[in-house]
Amino acid sequence: MMALNSCFTIVAIALLFSTTFSLADTHENFVQCLYNYPYNTNSSISNVVYTRTNSSYSSILDFSIQNLRFATDTSPKPLVIVTPLVVSHIQATIICSQRYGLQIRTRSGGHDYEGLSYVAEVPFVVLDLINLRKINVDAENRTAWVQAGATIGELYYSISQKSKTLGFPAGVCPPVGTGGHFSGGGYGFLMRKYGLAADNVIDAQIIDVKGNLLDRKTMGEDLFWAIRGGGGASFGVIMAWKIKLVSVPSTVTVFRVPRTLEQNATKIIQKWQLVANKLDEGLTIRINMGRATTQNGNLTVQAQFESLYLGGVHQLISLMQKSFPELGLVREDCTEMSWIDSILYMAGFTNGQSTDVLLNRTQASGVSFFKNKADYVRDPIPVVGLQGLWPFFFEDEAQSAFVQFTPYGGRMDEISESETPFPHRAGNIFHIQYGVSWQEEGDEASQRNINWIRRLYNYLETYVSKSPRAAYLNYRDLDIGVNNNGYTSYRQASIWGRKYFNNNFHRLARVKTKVDPKNFFRNEQSIPSLVSKGRK
Ligand SMILES: Cc1cc2nc3c(=O)[nH]c(=O)nc-3n(C[C@H](O)[C@H](O)[C@H](O)COP(=O)(O)OP(=O)(O)OC[C@H]3O[C@@H](n4cnc5c(N)ncnc54)[C@H](O)[C@@H]3O)c2cc1C
Ligand SMILES: *[C@@H]1O[C@H](CO)[C@@H](O)[C@H](O)[C@H]1NC(C)=O
Ligand SMILES: *[C@@H]1O[C@H](CO)[C@@H](O)[C@H](O)[C@H]1NC(C)=O
Ligand SMILES: *[C@@H]1O[C@H](CO)[C@@H](O)[C@H](O)[C@H]1NC(C)=O
Ligand SMILES: *[C@@H]1O[C@H](CO)[C@@H](O)[C@H](O)[C@H]1NC(C)=O
Ligand SMILES: *[C@@H]1O[C@H](CO)[C@@H](O)[C@H](O)[C@H]1NC(C)=O
Ligand SMILES: *[C@@H]1O[C@H](CO)[C@@H](O)[C@H](O)[C@H]1NC(C)=O
């Protein structure tokens, strides 16, 4: 035993030395390659390259990390971070990374649930688009160009500066980046009326593996299809999106109504499942469930019914009385406001803050360790299924856990499954997201919390979509399957690929084969090339 152990130790040290040496070498050559890359503007790349010895390296890396699970001392860190200002900086990073055998992780808003935009198990470079945040809103033509490093909060803000009756159907949390969010789908309270963010993209700029800057016309309809729901990271670096803006009324109505188990929450949720996807498409009511305490100090479950209605309160009350009286909504629960103020309300800014808070990329609640998972529901969950869910919230790990139901229907039913890579359309009543978060460091806390959510996920198997059990790319979950570090067969990748993309997975692989046959742009859940054997 002893001998074996010490032998292993020596081998490990020897390996460590040799990799360190060759990596340092690679890294110097790589940086030199960046500096030598020809550029035709006055922006020198040497102002935006951060090596590990640079005093700003850690603050730049940590700036947009949302999940502390991937920001520990043992999390792999990039050799170099590049924060491009112009196209040529991205081109140089793509070309030089290939030359020196480094992977690229492109980061826009840094919200990836599994940290794939800033962590890799192989030597890598982070291409952080923090400086590419220009937004140009053309209110007259109802379009906008948005650079991929801009957040959805910055986009909503820019639209509101130009018009009170234009909006965009994307996510709820302002610091989410448009680069990852639009390429993975992207939804919020306008989804039932207008679909996903990706459904409203009409042009894009992407830089491919050869360093070519392409737009919709030059990339062709296959690649343009793939990056609207198939994820950007498998295909290149998305530089900007052109989007179609949508109409919103000058007055919308919001409410947030809590109901505990003692207030018949189970029954109300049961009724919600029968109506939520059939309501007027201007009305979206989602449910956030979590642990709460009753007045006498007992634990209970609270379901918060959270809603945006595209119209005035009077009409909303009459709609609710007709379709969903069980909630007992009254006028006093509701507030009329502008669409942009509803964005602040849904993001939790309810103290009369100015819309400027949308420009703040620091989350008010701070960041934590978290693990989330997702499901789709095609048949209502019976009461007994809901009742079996509640005890999970009384376990220790569930202190700040949540289960969220988001209704589909409306526009989502009208778009065909193959229109974009995102296949979860007609037939889905609602989408579930589960989340658990914690503040305690260390593996033990992490394992305990992750086990809790995996047990919850196992419990729900009976009640959710099957064959395959569907998932949502933007709620990335590496539990559902991963690629090998190197060559992954199409068949192996199909295990997770069909869950995200169903029958669209094969077309995604064909597009990948055409645009990046050697599989340079790869990660734990990137689309496989059908020809490449990659790195063995
Ligand atoms: C707090 C929070 C709230 C959220 N709320 C919502 C919500 O309301 N609705 C919703 O649909 N989703 C929501 N999400 C999920 C979110 O949509 C995804 O995490 C999305 O991928 C984030 O995009 P990003 O640019 O911020 O992330 P990043 O971590 O920067 O990127 C995510 C993935 O996209 C790739 N990528 C990023 N930029 C580019 C680019 N320019 N070119 C090519 N590839 C790129 C990355 O490499 C990575 O694989 C939320 C996530 C969090 C953490
Ligand atoms: C670079 O800077 C010079 C001098 O300021 C200017 O004349 C030139 O137009 C600039 N070139 C580009 C491509 O911006
Ligand atoms: C860190 O890198 C930035 C960007 O390249 C550079 O401007 C800065 O001078 C560097 N700082 C140090 C201390 O090397
Ligand atoms: C709207 O589009 C038309 C046609 O493309 C263009 O000529 C016009 O300048 C655009 N309007 C604005 C305000 O940019
Ligand atoms: C719950 O439902 C019961 C039976 O329908 C009803 O009598 C009771 O008033 C309801 N409780 C609340 C708090 O609404
Ligand atoms: C609250 O808890 C107490 C003690 O555990 C129990 O006797 C009581 O019935 C509970 N009340 C409710 C409303 O469940
Ligand atoms: C951004 O938000 C954070 C957290 O709420 C806050 O501490 C900070 O002051 C804000 N920054 C600005 C510029 O408003």
Side-chain angles (χ1 to χ4, degrees), residues 412-521:
M412 292 300 277
D413 283 353
E414 297 164 7
I415 299 173
S416 85
E417 274 190 39
S418 57
E419 179 81 22
T420 72
F422 178 98
H424 316 300
R425 306 285 186 171
N428 291 289
I429 304 176
F430 62 99
H431 172 63
I432 308 182
Q433 180 178 199
Y434 325 97
V436 62
S437 66
W438 62 100
Q439 291 295 340
E440 200 183 332
E441 286 176 28
D443 284 350
E444 191 277 327
S446 185
Q447 274 317 313
R448 206 160 20 85
N449 284 284
I450 293 174
N451 285 343
W452 178 85
I453 202 165
R454 286 182 181 152
R455 276 192 292 114
L456 175 64
Y457 185 76
N458 288 342
Y459 166 73
L460 277 153
E461 185 177 7
T462 332
Y463 304 110
V464 298
S465 64
K466 295 176 186 60
S467 316
R469 186 173 182 177
Y472 170 39
L473 182 67
N474 269 345
Y475 294 161
R476 192 190 300 285
D477 181 1
L478 296 185
D479 291 355
I480 68 171
V482 290
N483 297 339
N484 291 336
N485 189 358
Y487 176 67
T488 292
S489 68
Y490 174 75
R491 184 201 279 264
Q492 183 187 342
S494 300
I495 295 171
W496 57 264
R498 299 237 317 137
K499 293 172 187 170
Y500 288 138
F501 307 115
N502 207 1
N503 294 325
N504 294 324
F505 187 59
H506 195 257
R507 181 170 175 196
L508 284 169
R510 289 201 310 273
V511 177
K512 169 74 179 182
T513 308
K514 203 158 78 183
V515 305
D516 181 24
K518 293 196 181 136
N519 200 19
F520 170 66
F521 288 109

Side-chain angles (χ1 to χ4, degrees), residues 183-227:
S183 67
Y187 77 84
F189 282 89
L190 294 180
M191 174 175 64
R192 301 194 64 246
K193 175 88 175 173
Y194 294 114
L196 304 172
D199 297 331
N200 293 279
V201 168
I202 52 177
D203 202 342
Q205 290 181 332
I206 186 171
I207 298 155
D208 72 7
V209 68
K210 297 195 184 106
N212 299 315
L213 174 65
L214 308 170
D215 65 4
R216 179 174 183 167
K217 213 175 193 163
T218 48
M219 81 177 83
E221 287 302 303
D222 267 346
L223 180 53
F224 184 61
W225 173 84
I227 58 174

Side-chain angles (χ1 to χ4, degrees), residues 262 294 296-299:
E262 291 71 25
T294 61
N296 55 24
N298 292 1
L299 287 186

Side-chain angles (χ1 to χ4, degrees), residues 33-47 86-89 91-92:
C33 173
L34 292 180
Y35 290 174
N36 292 343
Y37 191 84
Y39 53 87
N40 53 13
T41 75
N42 293 332
S43 278
S44 167
I45 196 169
S46 64
N47 297 325
V86 290
V87 172
S88 66
H89 297 168
Q91 291 167 324

